[in-house]
Structures are given as C-alpha cells and as structure tokens.
Amino acid sequence: PGLFASGDQPVVTWIQPAVRYSTIDNDFAGPAEFVAPSMFWDWEKIDAGLRFGIVRGTDLTIEFARNRMTLLSGKVLEPDELLATLRFAL
C-alpha cells in the first residue's frame, strides 16, 4: 500500500530520509590566478533531503545543501542550494 492511489496502483510507496556532512580543510595555498582557485578553499557542507518512491522504477529526491567555503582571502561564501532530481528506471 502507498500513501495515495491512482486507479489500482499505489503511489508514493516509500520515503527515505538522508543527511550528509562533508568537509575539506586544505593545508596548502596556491596563486590567486590559478585556473581553479577553488582547489585551495576550505569547504564545509551539510545536506538534508527526502527521497520519495513514486511508482515502481520512479523516484523523486528533494535536497537542501548548506554550503560554507572560505576563500584564500579569508572571505566566506555561503551559496546554499535546493535541488530536485526525478529518476526513471526502465
């Protein structure tokens, strides 16, 4: 049984929570004109989301990510993200 039904088929048959934490603490620095200066930044990220099993072979993941990065200059950026992913399996 699902939370809802569409005709004879159950819809939203399962819900799966997810929480992830990751960090990168770089002990080195490089030149500001380096092609990818983000390689030298310190990063901290926490994600929280829910994955919904809609029907067999189809699920939807909705996730919020709280990002915090420290640039070489010491400036702190916090570009948070909201992401939704719809997956189909054949």
Side-chain angles (χ1 to χ4, degrees), residues 8-49:
D8 290 337
Q9 184 166 357
V11 180
V12 186
T13 55
W14 50 268
I15 299 174
Q16 180 182 43
V19 176
R20 290 179 295 275
Y21 174 78
S22 58
T23 184
I24 298 174
D25 188 14
N26 289 319
D27 293 329
F28 57 91
E33 54 278 340
F34 187 73
V35 68
S38 59
M39 181 176 163
F40 308 113
W41 300 350
D42 291 337
W43 295 72
E44 183 176 21
K45 180 177 181 180
I46 186 164
D47 300 304

Side-chain angles (χ1 to χ4, degrees), residues 41-42 69-78:
W41 300 350
D42 291 337
M69 55 197 81
T70 306
L71 283 58
L72 292 174
S73 65
K75 182 178 178 181
V76 174
L77 299 178
E78 294 179 333

